[in-house]
Amino acid sequence: MAVLRVRGFALPEGEPVDLYADGDRWTSDPVPGAELVAEGWILPGLVDAHTHPGANAPGDPLDLDILKGDLRAHLDSGVTLIRSPGLADDPPDWFGQSDDSPRAFHAGPWIAQHGQFMPGWGRRPDPADMPAVAAEQAARTGWAKVVIDWKPGDEVMPVDVLREAVRRVHAVGGRLAVHSQHAAGGAVAVEAGVDSIEHGMGLDPALLPLMAERGIALTPTLSAITEHLAQILADPERARTNWHVPGASVHRRLAAAAVEAGVTVLAGTDSRPHGGVAREIRALVAAGISPHEALAAASWTARSYLGLQGLVDGAPADAVVFAADPRADLSQLDQPQAVIVRGKRAHRRPDPH
């Protein structure tokens, strides 16, 4: 197999690099005969930290053909790493391992309370059993995902139950993500010391410094929430009564405040079609976050949070290369020059347009 080579300016520092894919690891030691596949501005791969591939609609079973297509769409967009905090079922062994897939972390099926979450999806253990279920999942895949609040008026998961889940998950070396879209749920999540809050709509901004101190990440799924808000506001009657409006209306400010407070913010799309991480990056920038920080949330910061190094010797051989600096021109995100994952070039499908 030919050794691949990339050359250019590596983000985040923008320093010149010349890297060779020695199997699945980068090296700066020259390899004779290496194939120069791209020159330009190099990122250590894009990351979608909140995506649920494999099912067309909420409640649908996991479909392997849909899963393959979704993963390929991520890869075509320059995403070389995904985190799936919840799937319709346990994925096959090739998930995140095949040549047509980004690397992948996942939390298996969601864990929810009785009477909450999407019918047909997830597990609903009794509260006393939930910490053990979460720990068993994290021991298998590194992550567990718990839905701690759902609709207005639904019971928020008790903090003692969630705190015990965190303790048990950490004891097996795993991490715990939680779905929260109400202020009460966000408060419980921070108090319990979870590892990441997904969505976080309605989160009290006063909790952001404590999140930063405790290393609790926020994945605001900003593009999905703001696009849904726009649909609601298009119908004045619906806008007057829909519970999403107050939290969604200030969600941009929350995301920007989180970055300002030093919270690790992760880019996640939570939407179909897959491969739309560029929309999330643009949504973060529209919220007032600098292009550098928005790209960090979708690349080097997210990779570091998930335990992968960037463009250094010995790091996983992943990269996406752009002709120009995407921080200065976000349109570059729509046209990667090359995508490399596991030391191999991902051949992009032709643009249907």
Side-chain angles (χ1 to χ4, degrees):
M1 184 179 69
V3 172
L4 303 186
R5 176 187 180 192
V6 294
R7 184 170 63 198
F9 302 98
L11 293 179
E13 290 85 5
E15 295 294 324
V17 297
D18 199 344
L19 294 172
Y20 301 78
D22 182 12
D24 186 20
R25 289 292 180 267
W26 289 122
T27 179
S28 56
D29 295 331
V31 177
E35 176 189 356
L36 181 62
V37 295
E39 294 184 76
W41 288 80
I42 311 168
L43 277 70
L46 294 173
V47 181
D48 190 332
H50 189 119
T51 179
H52 308 295
N56 270 332
D60 283 358
L62 189 72
D63 183 295
L64 296 187
D65 288 335
I66 294 173
L67 180 62
K68 290 176 182 177
D70 291 343
L71 294 174
R72 183 69 224 192
H74 278 300
L75 203 55
D76 288 343
S77 71
V79 169
T80 63
L81 174 64
I82 64 170
R83 181 186 59 152
S84 296
L87 288 166
D89 204 344
D90 286 314
D93 290 342
W94 52 258
F95 180 73
Q97 303 293 328
S98 74
D99 288 347
D100 283 335
S101 169
R103 300 178 196 269
F105 294 92
H106 74 89
W110 295 263
I111 303 168
Q113 300 185 92
H114 290 290
Q116 298 185 22
F117 198 51
M118 305 286 188
W121 274 359
R123 295 165 288 177
R124 291 163 181 78
D126 290 335
D129 298 327
M130 193 281 288
V133 172
E136 184 275 333
Q137 177 66 57
R140 287 193 299 114
T141 63
W143 281 88
K145 167 73 174 296
V146 178
V147 180
I148 65 170
D149 61 37
W150 191 236
K151 295 180 180 178
D154 284 348
E155 182 180 351
V156 176
M157 184 168 287
V159 68
D160 59 335
V161 173
L162 188 59
R163 186 183 290 116
E164 178 64 10
V166 171
R167 187 189 70 79
R168 293 200 191 186
V169 166
H170 288 178
V172 299
R175 298 165 98 176
L176 186 67
V178 300
H179 166 108
S180 176
Q181 50 190 1
H182 300 288
V188 165
V190 175
E191 184 176 351
V194 304
D195 293 289
S196 74
I197 297 175
E198 309 302 304
H199 316 299
M201 195 170 71
L203 181 70
D204 183 353
L207 294 173
L208 294 174
L210 186 57
M211 287 178 63
E213 178 184 325
R214 294 182 174 179
I216 301 172
L218 174 66
T219 316
T221 60
L222 191 58
S223 57
I225 287 176
T226 54
E227 288 167 12
H228 183 54
L229 175 64
Q231 294 170 5
I232 295 171
L233 296 179
D235 180 346
E237 181 59 32
R238 185 184 179 196
R240 280 193 291 272
T241 59
N242 194 286
W243 66 268
H244 281 86
V245 173
S249 297
V250 297
H251 204 51
R252 285 180 171 178
R253 291 205 297 265
L254 176 70
V259 171
E260 184 68 23
V263 174
T264 296
V265 172
L266 307 174
T269 57
D270 192 31
S271 62
R272 302 190 67 86
H274 291 269
V277 74
R279 293 197 306 274
E280 183 66 10
I281 295 169
R282 292 185 177 103
L284 293 170
V285 172
I289 296 168
S290 73
H292 183 90
E293 293 290 352
L295 276 168
S299 183
W300 54 89
T301 293
R303 288 179 72 89
S304 176
Y305 176 81
L306 293 169
L308 277 71
Q309 291 178 291
L311 297 168
V312 296
D313 281 55
D318 300 345
V320 58
V321 186
F322 300 99
D325 186 347
R327 297 172 300 177
D329 177 9
L330 292 177
S331 71
Q332 291 293 317
L333 297 171
D334 302 319
Q335 43 193 342
Q337 302 297 296
V339 181
I340 297 169
V341 63
R342 303 180 197 88
K344 301 177 182 178
R345 183 165 187 174
H347 294 283
R348 303 185 72 209
R349 291 178 292 187
D351 189 333
H353 304 295

